[in-house]
Amino acid sequence: MKNMTSLMKVELILMKRQAAYYLLSIGLPSVFYLIFSGVMSNDTPISVLRLYLFSMTVFSIMSSAFFSIPSSLQSDKTNNWQKMIQHSPVSMVEYYISKLCSTLLTFMLSIIVVFSVGHFVRGVDLPMVDWLVIALILLVGSMVFIAMGVLVSLLPSAQLMSVVGNIVYMALAVLGGLWFPLTMFPKWLQSIGKLTPSYQLMQVVSSYLEHHQFNGKAALIVLIYTVLFSILVFQLKNRIEVK
């Protein structure tokens, strides 16, 4: 417990140092929401504004997952922080748990800020229990993006991580329907988009938002993606360590 407390203090210090980055990853989706919701007509249903708000929240979460996680793990590797952990009483399990907790803390900050922008600026209103349930869905569902972010961190160079992270990040945002409805794309592209974890996570959110029902099929697909990417992370990491 003492080790975890010390590690979390370190993670909080690192988060403060990366404040400018978090401002961008949280602020940019908020600005996008304000711009796109601002150009919508007055006849736009409030349900559309609500769903787009949660799409931008997922977009913000993905930004942290694909850029903050690889950057943080790469930094810890290059400055030998991970080696110091391995030769200290602190276990690597505790190290990764502290990384997970700090990442989820960042995601919570994204959720709070983007939700607040939608509520106080655009008048998106929901019962408190709905805000909390959707926030929980997004936090649990974000595990798939954490696994993908860790997978990106295993690439051999920072340049390659940046390129791959950007490509996957933008692909999940566009093909997942976070920016524009999939109905705007050709049917063959819609079929691809429906396979993305970002689209399936939004299906869970929209199902609860519209019908207060839990979309078990979409949630299962997100879970399968999470498990598959996690297994891939462990296998690749073991191969890298053996080499």
Side-chain angles (χ1 to χ4, degrees):
M1 187 65 183
K2 185 178 180 180
N3 290 337
M4 281 299 303
T5 302
S6 300
L7 285 172
M8 284 306 303
K9 288 181 179 178
V10 172
E11 289 299 319
L12 290 174
I13 293 172
L14 293 175
M15 287 177 65
K16 289 180 180 179
R17 291 179 180 177
Q18 295 179 328
Y21 167 79
Y22 291 120
L23 182 63
L24 182 63
S25 66
I26 297 174
L28 193 59
S30 299
V31 171
F32 280 169
Y33 177 74
L34 291 175
I35 292 174
F36 284 110
S37 61
V39 299
M40 292 178 181
S41 66
N42 294 329
D43 297 331
T44 303
I46 189 64
S47 59
V48 174
L49 290 176
R50 288 172 179 170
L51 195 58
Y52 193 66
L53 175 66
F54 301 129
S55 293
M56 287 299 98
T57 308
V58 174
F59 184 55
S60 176
I61 287 173
M62 289 197 312
S63 177
S64 296
F66 284 104
F67 301 112
S68 177
I69 292 176
S71 174
S72 177
L73 292 175
Q74 178 70 9
S75 176
D76 287 352
K77 184 177 179 181
T78 54
N79 62 21
N80 294 319
W81 177 243
Q82 290 184 356
K83 286 186 178 180
M84 290 177 61
I85 294 291
Q86 291 173 344
H87 293 87
S88 72
V90 180
S91 69
M92 289 303 293
V93 173
E94 291 175 318
Y95 165 78
Y96 285 116
I97 290 177
S98 69
K99 287 291 181 184
L100 175 62
C101 290
S102 65
T103 300
L104 291 177
L105 185 60
T106 302
F107 290 174
M108 288 177 61
L109 183 60
S110 295
I111 290 171
I112 292 171
V113 172
V114 181
F115 279 16
S116 297
V117 169
H119 177 67
F120 293 109
V121 180
R122 289 292 182 239
V124 175
D125 196 19
L126 286 172
M128 179 57 69
V129 65
D130 287 352
W131 288 114
L132 294 176
V133 170
I134 293 174
L136 181 61
I137 291 173
L138 294 179
L139 276 177
V140 175
S142 69
M143 297 300 292
V144 66
F145 304 125
I146 292 177
M148 295 176 76
V150 175
L151 187 60
V152 170
S153 75
L154 298 178
L155 293 171
S157 69
Q159 292 82 357
L160 188 58
M161 283 191 297
S162 178
V163 171
V164 173
N166 272 289
I167 292 174
V168 177
Y169 170 58
M170 296 303 295
L172 289 179
V174 176
L175 295 179
L178 301 184
W179 285 4
F180 310 104
L182 282 186
T183 52
M184 297 179 63
F185 300 119
K187 288 189 176 181
W188 66 270
L189 202 54
Q190 292 181 34
S191 300
I192 296 175
K194 290 178 181 178
L195 296 175
T196 60
S198 49
Y199 174 84
Q200 294 297 331
L201 178 57
M202 282 305 301
Q203 289 300 107
V204 179
V205 173
S206 62
S207 178
Y208 176 81
L209 186 63
E210 296 172 10
H211 310 292
H212 281 80
Q213 295 178 351
F214 186 71
N215 191 328
K217 180 181 178 181
L220 179 61
I221 293 174
V222 174
L223 176 61
I224 291 173
Y225 271 120
T226 305
V227 173
L228 289 177
F229 283 122
S230 298
I231 292 174
L232 190 57
V233 165
F234 286 120
Q235 289 182 338
L236 289 178
K237 188 167 179 59
N238 288 336
R239 287 186 181 181
I240 293 172
E241 289 177 350
V242 168
K243 290 181 180 180

